[in-house]
Amino acid sequence: MRALIVTNMWPSPASPALGSFVRDQVEALRVVGGPDLDLEVAAFPPGGYARAVPDLRRRAPADVVHAHFGLTAWPALAARGRVRLVTLHGTDVRHPRSGRITRAAFPFQDLVATASADLAADLRTRRPVAVLPCGVATDRFRPLPRAQARAELGLDPDTPCILFPADPARPGKRHDRAAEVADAAGARLLTAGTVDPAQMPLWVNAANVVLVPSDHEGFGLAVLEALACDVPVLATPTGIHDVVLPGIDGVLCAPYDRDRWVAAAAPHLTAADPRVAGRARAELYGARTMALRVLEAWRELLGEAPDPT
């Protein structure tokens, strides 16, 4: 099988965190697909849709053309392929203008997918929608000694720390809420807006607790990364948060309320090494497990028999 991934979300020296989850899925697909999968990536910067078309036209024909992010589905039409699909990640659905442009591309797709069922519900479309998340890289995100993580990052070993694992400049991530909790709890607030993805496991393990107080999430990767490290996490019920967090002691999935969130964070901020039993839950959404789902979706679109393994 020959597949072409077309995306405007891909890490670069200037933006190392951009689309790192798409890159992780590509790497996982190459592992689970083995020698029978010939996988190429056509990545271009956000906004570079028209400039991407000549390159896509020159590409060799593919069995599958898979676009990541709704607006990318349009230049992906320039690539020759037997079947086409697009995975939607959030703002391509929920932003009024981007959502309209994204939905206009649906008739040209053999399959429309979203990163979560929560996001699929926001599509309000009658056509079938698959749920094909990218998944969490559990090989990188794993428990590390908190003292080691803080030493490598140059953080004080004893100061209680809360991690806000997003860019504070993105209003929907609600840095204001995280700052309010940290201030009320007397903790240092760490932010991850400029953190290289390769360093993120250290930042997660360095934190006493991770806060994800977002208005909306397309998926919920930051929560899974915290769970994969067995680090406590508090999150609003969006994306897959209310699917993966229930039943794990020491976490919270609830609408934002400062007093409730401060009370939930407090035990973790005073514990010497606060941990939760989250890794087994995160592994259900591991990058390779999710890549297998994508591979099976490709095979089904092509009319191939499922892999017996």
Side-chain angles (χ1 to χ4, degrees):
M1 181 195 304
R2 186 173 188 278
L4 174 66
I5 302 292
V6 183
T7 182
N8 66 345
M9 300 185 297
W10 195 260
S12 69
S15 301
L18 177 65
S20 58
F21 48 89
V22 178
R23 180 199 57 200
D24 288 344
Q25 181 165 95
V26 167
E27 292 176 356
L29 280 165
R30 286 177 170 145
V31 172
V32 302
D36 294 331
L37 177 62
D38 178 9
L39 181 59
E40 289 188 8
V41 177
F44 54 89
Y49 304 105
R51 293 190 296 274
V53 168
D55 171 65
L56 290 166
R57 284 178 176 159
R58 288 192 294 268
R59 299 267 176 167
D63 296 302
V64 176
V65 176
H66 188 159
H68 276 273
F69 197 74
L71 302 184
T72 306
W74 286 104
L77 294 175
R80 291 167 289 171
R82 290 171 56 193
V83 298
R84 302 179 184 279
L85 69 158
V86 59
T87 296
L88 311 177
H89 291 274
T91 55
D92 45 1
V93 173
R94 290 169 172 149
H95 186 280
R97 182 172 178 271
S98 296
R100 289 194 299 271
I101 298 171
T102 292
R103 288 176 177 84
F106 288 179
F108 307 100
Q109 305 300 313
D110 296 287
L111 180 67
V112 172
T114 60
S116 68
D118 182 60
L119 186 58
D122 283 352
L123 275 180
R124 299 181 182 89
T125 179
R126 295 181 179 179
R127 68 178 292 160
V129 177
V131 177
L132 298 174
C134 285
V136 57
T138 53
D139 55 339
R140 293 203 317 275
F141 287 90
R142 62 189 188 280
L144 299 171
R146 184 164 281 105
Q148 173 191 331
R150 291 197 176 194
E152 291 193 37
L153 296 172
L155 298 173
D156 183 84
D158 301 317
T159 300
C161 293
I162 290 173
L163 175 64
F164 175 73
D167 185 347
R170 298 179 63 184
K173 298 294 187 180
R174 299 307 301 263
H175 175 262
D176 58 322
R177 292 173 172 173
E180 187 176 50
V181 171
D183 182 63
R188 178 180 177 182
L189 182 62
L190 310 173
T191 60
T194 59
V195 172
D196 188 306
Q199 295 286 336
M200 272 304 292
L202 289 175
W203 288 93
V204 173
N205 279 284
N208 293 70
V209 61
V210 173
L211 261 60
V212 187
S214 313
D215 286 329
H216 297 289
E217 289 287 344
F219 179 43
L221 188 59
V223 163
L224 288 172
E225 290 170 348
L227 292 180
C229 297
D230 286 336
V231 172
V233 59
L234 317 182
T236 46
T238 180
I240 62 162
H241 298 171
D242 57 359
V243 175
V244 300
L245 290 175
I248 301 175
D249 292 337
V251 305
L252 176 69
C253 182
Y256 179 74
D257 175 89
R258 189 199 67 173
D259 293 341
R260 184 178 182 186
W261 280 48
V262 169
H268 304 309
L269 297 174
T270 56
D273 188 22
R275 297 287 174 172
V276 297
R279 185 165 177 82
R281 189 70 56 84
E283 286 175 339
L284 298 175
Y285 295 85
R288 292 187 185 181
T289 300
M290 297 299 100
L292 283 170
R293 287 172 58 171
V294 171
L295 196 57
E296 290 306 312
W298 291 354
R299 289 178 175 139
E300 185 174 343
L301 287 173
L302 293 169
E304 297 182 3
D307 188 335
T309 61

